[in-house]
Amino acid sequence: MAQMYYDNDADLNMLKGKKIAVMGYGSQGHAQAQNLHDSGLDVTVGLREGSRRWKQAEEDGLKVMTVAEAAKMADVVQILLPDEVQSQVYYSEIEPGLEAGNAIVFSHGFNIHYNQIIPQKDIDVYMVAPKSPGHLVRRTYVDGAGVPGLVAVYQDATGKAMEMALAHAKGVGCTRAGVYKTSFREETETDLFGEQVDLCGGVASLIKTSFEVLVEAGYQPEMAYFETCHELKLIVDLIHEGGLDKMWYSVSNTAEYGGMTVGPKVINELSREAMYEALDRIQNGEFAREFVLEGKANRPVLTAMERQDREHPLEVIGKEIRSKMPWLNSELNEK
Ligand SMILES: NC(=O)C1=CN([C@@H]2O[C@H](COP(=O)(O)OP(=O)(O)OC[C@H]3O[C@@H](n4cnc5c(N)ncnc54)[C@H](OP(=O)(O)O)[C@@H]3O)[C@@H](O)[C@H]2O)C=CC1
Ligand SMILES: CC(=O)[C@](C)(O)C(=O)O
Ligand SMILES: [Mg+2]
Ligand SMILES: [Mg+2]
């Protein structure tokens, strides 16, 4: 069983009197910086000159500096920039500001695990990774709850890195929900696998392909959208609350029988092989190399695929249907 920690296992005093710089004010940055600040810690946001989020962070009550200034000033530097830019920004703007005994903090181990950032030996390197999209990290904290998280220590120069990581996780609100101990390698490989195969990639392909099949078979796109996309959240909520068991209990016997017998034919042995192939490419570094090169080339594949996705009939009809549902939360679309 993974080792777990809660509020009582973590001492915020480990971070009191220390200056924390949170680099980036995107999905995770805005959430974790505000949570740490509201937990009574000294937080400065590091951004590039001209960032459209500079004003936002100030309006949220936070100090803002350039990344280089914030790195120089801070004792603890949390890097919440997109993974593909972290290495370049680290070497040009962050590393020159680091001193022995400082700490650098990640919410995903990609750059450390795949050697894109090789930290100097005299600093702590730890991870606090909320298992949640950033906007929910903030929303649940404000509601008095928290999202579960992971902590890991890669380098312990001060002998206090684990205590620092737990304090940091407490400041972000994760120890309210429970924090699991892991390693940079385990977090990186499982996180990439999850988002590629299941959470983001797998689900997106399942939705798109099943939508296409219904539309190609002559059904109205509205019907296809409701069946393959809209209702998915309601089903996933049940799984989230009570596992597959609660979902099977709640749906009709017809859905249960059909789902149990047909599901394994759709996600089948071929899919299992594809999952193993994805995992291999994560473990052997091929995916990392591809993604790093994509970043260095200014994201040509991502740009093209995002455009193709936006033009997909599922997205076109979905946008129209959602515009008739003003109660849907639009906050998550703002990133
Ligand atoms: N998104 C999520 O929910 C999760 C993310 N993570 C991890 O958290 C980290 C951050 O991801 P995420 O929050 O999605 O990142 P975002 O893409 O939301 O971060 C954008 C922020 O980074 C800044 N930025 C981008 N490029 C530069 C640059 N060259 N110099 C200075 N600032 C720059 C942007 O500045 P500007 O305002 O100027 O554009 C913006 O403030 C990653 O390691 C990711 O894997 C982990 C768990 C979940
Ligand atoms: C939200 C999250 O944890 C992801 C899917 O791993 C990510 O955004 O990288
Ligand atoms: Mg993740
Ligand atoms: Mg991820």
Side-chain angles (χ1 to χ4, degrees):
M1 286 288 277
Q3 200 168 339
M4 277 200 79
Y5 305 90
Y6 289 96
D7 272 348
N8 287 341
D9 304 310
D11 181 6
L12 263 187
N13 285 321
M14 292 299 300
L15 284 168
K16 288 262 162 71
K18 294 208 189 287
K19 295 190 174 69
I20 303 172
V22 174
M23 306 305 188
Y25 206 65
S27 180
Q28 288 296 325
H30 92 285
Q32 296 199 43
Q34 290 187 85
N35 291 4
L36 290 164
H37 175 76
D38 290 353
S39 296
L41 299 170
D42 181 351
V43 179
T44 301
V45 174
L47 285 172
R48 52 187 164 192
E49 214 99 50
S51 164
R52 67 187 169 90
R53 280 134 166 154
W54 194 294
K55 198 162 143 269
Q56 184 60 51
E58 282 180 344
E59 281 171 11
D60 292 338
L62 297 163
K63 294 173 275 189
V64 187
M65 295 178 185
T66 63
V67 170
E69 286 166 351
K72 194 154 187 289
M73 163 287 299
D75 306 300
V76 175
V77 175
Q78 186 166 10
I79 304 178
L80 293 179
L81 306 167
D83 293 307
E84 69 275 20
V85 310
Q86 287 185 11
S87 170
Q88 185 257 317
V89 176
Y90 180 81
Y91 285 115
S92 61
E93 291 164 67
I94 296 176
E95 194 186 44
L98 295 177
E99 284 168 22
N102 285 175
I104 56 172
V105 188
F106 294 86
S107 286
H108 180 38
F110 187 98
N111 278 274
I112 292 289
H113 182 58
Y114 293 115
N115 264 0
Q116 300 303 298
I117 292 175
I118 301 173
Q120 60 204 66
K121 289 281 168 240
D122 57 3
I123 60 172
D124 287 347
V125 181
Y126 64 83
M127 177 191 313
V128 175
K131 287 282 97 183
S132 158
H135 296 84
L136 292 174
V137 172
R138 180 59 184 158
R139 198 195 296 167
T140 50
Y141 180 93
V142 171
D143 290 346
V147 298
L150 307 179
V151 288
V153 171
Y154 177 76
Q155 193 167 284
D156 188 5
T158 64
K160 301 235 159 66
M162 190 60 195
E163 288 167 80
M164 293 280 284
L166 287 172
H168 207 112
K170 188 172 190 170
V172 171
C174 289
T175 47
R176 293 174 179 174
V179 165
Y180 295 79
K181 187 175 170 195
T182 182
S183 63
F184 271 63
R185 175 185 172 186
E186 187 179 49
E187 184 279 336
T188 303
E189 294 179 354
T190 54
D191 186 83
L192 292 175
F193 181 82
E195 66 201 22
Q196 291 175 20
V197 163
D198 182 342
L199 305 174
C200 312
V203 164
S205 281
L206 190 63
I207 295 173
K208 270 203 306 202
T209 308
S210 52
F211 174 89
E212 285 165 7
V213 166
L214 282 180
V215 172
E216 279 160 21
Y219 299 100
Q220 300 180 75
E222 288 84 351
M223 299 306 113
Y225 178 81
F226 274 113
E227 279 312 321
T228 63
C229 185
H230 177 81
E231 222 179 310
L232 186 63
K233 178 196 175 342
L234 312 173
I235 294 290
V236 168
D237 279 351
L238 293 171
I239 300 173
H240 186 72
E241 285 163 22
L244 293 174
D245 189 48
K246 182 164 182 181
M247 187 273 287
W248 292 131
Y249 168 77
S250 174
V251 299
S252 67
N253 295 343
T254 330
E256 186 178 1
Y257 179 78
M260 281 190 171
T261 54
V262 176
K265 295 191 177 134
V266 176
I267 306 296
N268 51 26
E269 283 306 309
L270 268 181
S271 325
R272 184 186 298 270
E273 272 174 39
M275 289 183 192
Y276 270 111
E277 192 186 323
L279 184 58
D280 268 351
R281 297 188 73 251
I282 290 165
Q283 290 175 332
N284 68 22
E286 274 178 40
F287 170 75
R289 183 182 55 199
E290 185 185 317
F291 181 60
V292 166
L293 293 177
E294 164 76 2
K296 289 201 196 311
N298 205 19
R299 307 162 28 122
V301 175
L302 209 46
T303 305
M305 294 187 95
E306 281 175 356
R307 184 172 47 237
Q308 284 170 2
D309 250 16
R310 273 195 298 274
E311 291 167 358
H312 192 282
L314 168 88
E315 291 291 75
V316 175
I317 193 73
K319 209 170 168 188
E320 201 184 309
I321 292 177
R322 289 191 301 273
S323 73
K324 299 188 179 98
M325 302 179 180
W327 61 88
L328 289 182
N329 195 321
S330 60
E331 178 196 352
L332 295 177
N333 300 330
E334 282 164 17
K335 185 184 151 177

